[in-house]
Amino acid sequence: MCSIRILYCSEESSVLRCVSQRQCFSKSVELAELCGTPTVTLVPKADHVNYRAVNKRRLDLRGAVSIKIRVDGEKAHELISSAEGCHIQLKKIPVKYAAKKLTAQKSIQLMEETELPTTQPPVINIVSSRCTVRECEKKMISGKLLVKGNADAEVLYSCEDDSGSGALEAMSYGIPFSQIIDMDGLDDSCECTVNAEAVCCEITPSADKNGDNRVLKTELELRIICRAVKTASVMVVEDAYSTVHPCEVKTTAVMAEQMPVTMTENFRCSAKLAEGENVPQTVYGMWCTPKNINAHLSDDGQMLVISGMLTYTSAVRDMNGMISMPDKDETFEETVQLDHELSGGGNHRGNTCA
């Protein structure tokens, strides 16, 4: 489902108006090959959007949504852990792998009513709303996972200033949540990760006891995904030879799955959005949206190179008194230093002796 939000000003007023609509879509994708116990990750994003006014009360809109699909599956590989006879000598190394994997997912519905501060004017229309979830706290209790977190809601709404002209106001607030997730087989030997994401966030204005739209009703759906991995170690043959017989060793790269390492890095980026006569008179709000994010290892394997696009969006009033929301795309590239353990990855070599 995609959410379409159209902002406009009428001929009679400079107040910013908003019309929202939802559109459902579906798509089937053929996988290149079959895989066991697949885990599917979808990353959707809005592409181009074009529209035209059919008449004063109707718009014709065309656009596209692209989805990045990632499917992770399991493949069984045989590794040599021991060999006897023919005067064979073995060199072994320890290899860590995910001996047990657990996954649990839970969707929760949150509802919150937030009253505007007395210093802010009543709401005419919700122009923009966003909801993000911070890093969650987790605690294991009797084979269950207690998850606590906070969802941050940001709202930009249209209103009228003291002179009766159109204006915008920003509002932000937090919505706490806590849930108990059942994960059969979870114990203290498992490493756990928790990821919470906002699936749907609807923020609507509501009247207070005086009849003014000063209450924001938030309906939020969160999806909490918990993963747990129990890591084990096994001695695997890396090399072999015989003191009496000819011996040839052939190696093959094998991916040994382990618990993913989570990294958090902060970057500072800047962009020039306007200059000269285009500099706005008033800035009501500003936000930045990352997209087309790519990551790859440097040639020496010690650095992670992250690149992509940042879309800077601002809500402003120009020199002519009109409200607009221009945006600008800027590319970025940042590097992150990796430690030895992370840059080593999960590649191990399986051997076949002849």
Side-chain angles (χ1 to χ4, degrees):
M1 180 182 295
C2 63
S3 178
I4 303 169
R5 192 182 295 269
I6 300 173
L7 308 177
Y8 70 96
C9 288
S10 64
E11 294 179 344
E12 295 80 14
S13 172
S14 61
V15 175
L16 193 62
R17 305 286 179 174
C18 177
V19 175
S20 60
Q21 183 177 319
R22 290 185 174 184
Q23 185 73 34
C24 297
F25 61 90
S26 63
K27 179 69 176 178
S28 298
V29 179
E30 293 287 341
L31 297 181
E33 58 180 300
L34 297 177
C35 58
T37 60
T39 300
V40 182
T41 305
L42 305 177
V43 182
K45 73 179 184 71
D47 281 339
H48 66 274
V49 177
N50 301 312
Y51 60 91
R52 65 183 181 89
V54 179
N55 53 49
K56 289 187 176 182
R57 303 198 61 83
R58 186 177 180 86
L59 286 173
D60 182 20
L61 185 143
R62 298 175 184 272
V65 176
S66 64
I67 303 176
K68 182 182 292 185
I69 303 173
R70 173 177 172 176
V71 181
D72 296 318
E74 296 180 356
K75 281 189 175 181
H77 295 275
E78 291 185 350
L79 301 178
I80 296 177
S81 59
S82 183
E84 297 178 354
C86 299
H87 301 275
I88 194 170
Q89 303 290 321
L90 304 176
K91 178 185 177 183
K92 298 183 180 182
I93 58 171
V95 173
K96 293 182 178 181
Y97 68 99
K100 181 171 68 173
K101 296 193 303 180
L102 302 173
T103 303
Q105 177 176 301
K106 188 175 184 179
S107 295
I108 60 174
Q109 307 286 337
L110 301 176
M111 298 187 66
E112 187 84 7
E113 289 191 1
T114 306
E115 189 169 354
L116 297 178
T118 56
T119 55
Q120 294 190 205
V123 179
I124 295 179
N125 272 127
I126 301 294
V127 173
S128 173
S129 61
R130 295 174 302 282
C131 186
T132 56
V133 185
R134 304 177 191 175
E135 185 175 355
C136 298
E137 300 178 8
K138 57 183 182 293
K139 184 178 181 180
M140 195 179 305
I141 303 176
S142 302
K144 299 182 180 180
L145 204 61
L146 174 62
V147 179
K148 291 184 178 181
N150 197 77
D152 294 326
E154 297 180 68
V155 181
L156 187 70
Y157 68 88
S158 60
C159 57
E160 291 183 348
D161 57 18
D162 296 336
S163 64
S165 301
L168 295 175
E169 284 283 345
M171 177 73 177
S172 61
Y173 50 93
I175 305 174
F177 65 90
S178 63
Q179 286 289 313
I180 294 179
I181 312 296
D182 292 325
M183 299 185 73
D184 293 335
L186 186 66
D187 54 38
D188 295 333
S189 63
C190 297
E191 298 179 74
C192 301
T193 61
V194 176
N195 180 40
E197 56 185 14
V199 178
C200 181
C201 182
E202 281 291 325
I203 302 177
T204 56
S206 179
D208 60 7
K209 61 182 179 180
N210 297 323
D212 297 326
N213 286 341
R214 303 191 59 83
V215 178
L216 297 178
K217 289 187 175 181
T218 306
E219 296 183 16
L220 175 63
E221 180 182 353
L222 294 181
R223 179 186 295 122
I224 303 175
I225 302 174
C226 304
R227 296 184 176 90
V229 171
K230 182 176 183 179
T231 303
S233 181
V234 64
M235 298 300 293
V236 175
V237 175
E238 184 184 43
D239 199 2
Y241 74 97
S242 173
T243 56
V244 177
H245 304 282
C247 181
E248 180 185 358
V249 176
K250 296 180 180 180
T251 61
T252 303
V254 174
M255 294 296 294
E257 184 178 5
Q258 298 182 37
M259 190 68 175
V261 177
T262 302
M263 297 181 60
T264 302
E265 292 288 337
N266 296 321
F267 305 119
R268 184 178 295 274
C269 301
S270 62
K272 183 184 292 186
L273 304 184
E275 58 183 336
E277 297 180 353
N278 295 323
V279 174
Q281 183 181 20
T282 306
V283 178
Y284 297 108
M286 170 75 66
W287 60 93
C288 182
T289 306
K291 60 183 181 181
N292 300 335
I293 305 300
N294 296 295
H296 65 273
L297 287 175
S298 59
D299 294 337
D300 59 3
Q302 300 299 314
M303 306 287 289
L304 183 66
V305 183
I306 304 172
S307 60
M309 187 83 70
L310 296 176
T311 300
Y312 296 86
T313 306
S314 56
V316 301
R317 183 197 297 273
D318 62 20
M319 294 301 181
N320 299 321
M322 294 299 296
I323 295 177
S324 61
M325 299 179 66
D327 52 30
K328 184 177 182 181
D329 291 338
E330 289 282 343
T331 59
F332 77 94
E333 183 174 290
E334 300 288 343
T335 57
V336 180
Q337 180 69 44
L338 302 180
D339 57 31
H340 176 72
E341 179 182 357
L342 185 61
S343 61
N347 277 321
H348 300 284
R349 304 189 71 83
N351 301 334
T352 302
C353 299

